[in-house]
Amino acid sequence: MKNLLTIILLAVGFTTLGQSPETLEKLEAAKIALITERLELSPEQAERFWPIYRQFADEQRELRTEFQQLRQNHDPKKASEQENQKMLEQGMRIKERQLEMEKSYTQRMQEVISTRQIMSLRKAEADFKDMLIKRIRQQQQQRDEMRNQRMRNNESMRQRKN
């Protein structure tokens, strides 16, 4: 398990976790590797599982994007009570759609993999997300440390000149 986590972090590399296509491909490959290992998919299961999972992930991404766009165009401090109420209702509808979608795909996945594997899938997804967050924080900390070191070096150079 720890070897796989190391491989995933190496696959992601020391690049910034931005939105570049290469980075997204690396992240997707790492996620697939983690899920495949955790679920212990047989070749037959993998052949049937991955198309379902990819479709599920695509639809999840679309709903997240829809929700983000909805929130992006809304400032609760400037909006009227009615506008805020409408925003709450729209957000709830999106969450309801997410839940219905998850139920539907879980049923479809149960035709291919066991409930134990589905529970392992949920855990693997959460672990992957946690690893990414940890990695992003580490990279931010490294950037901050490098920036602080440059500032100290610049200050030291200024003092030497004076």
Side-chain angles (χ1 to χ4, degrees), residues 11-12 18-32:
V12 173
Q19 295 293 324
S20 76
E22 292 171 355
T23 301
L24 293 175
E25 286 176 20
K26 287 179 184 179
L27 289 173
E28 187 64 23
K31 185 176 181 181
I32 288 170

Side-chain angles (χ1 to χ4, degrees), residues 73-131:
N73 298 324
H74 183 79
D75 183 352
K77 293 179 182 179
K78 293 180 180 177
S80 69
E81 189 64 26
Q82 286 180 323
E83 291 168 330
N84 283 329
Q85 181 64 36
K86 183 179 177 185
M87 177 67 175
L88 284 173
E89 291 169 2
Q90 288 175 319
M92 290 299 206
R93 280 195 294 276
I94 290 172
K95 288 181 181 186
E96 287 171 354
R97 287 173 37 212
Q98 286 174 325
L99 179 59
E100 288 305 313
M101 182 183 63
E102 188 166 340
K103 286 180 186 179
S104 172
Y105 277 96
T106 297
Q107 288 175 345
R108 288 180 59 193
M109 287 180 204
Q110 281 183 305
E111 296 172 4
V112 177
I113 62 177
S114 69
T115 54
R116 179 194 60 78
Q117 288 171 307
I118 289 174
M119 297 307 294
S120 295
L121 171 63
R122 302 294 186 247
K123 177 84 168 93
E125 289 172 324
D127 289 349
F128 188 78
K129 180 180 175 183
D130 291 345
M131 285 187 291

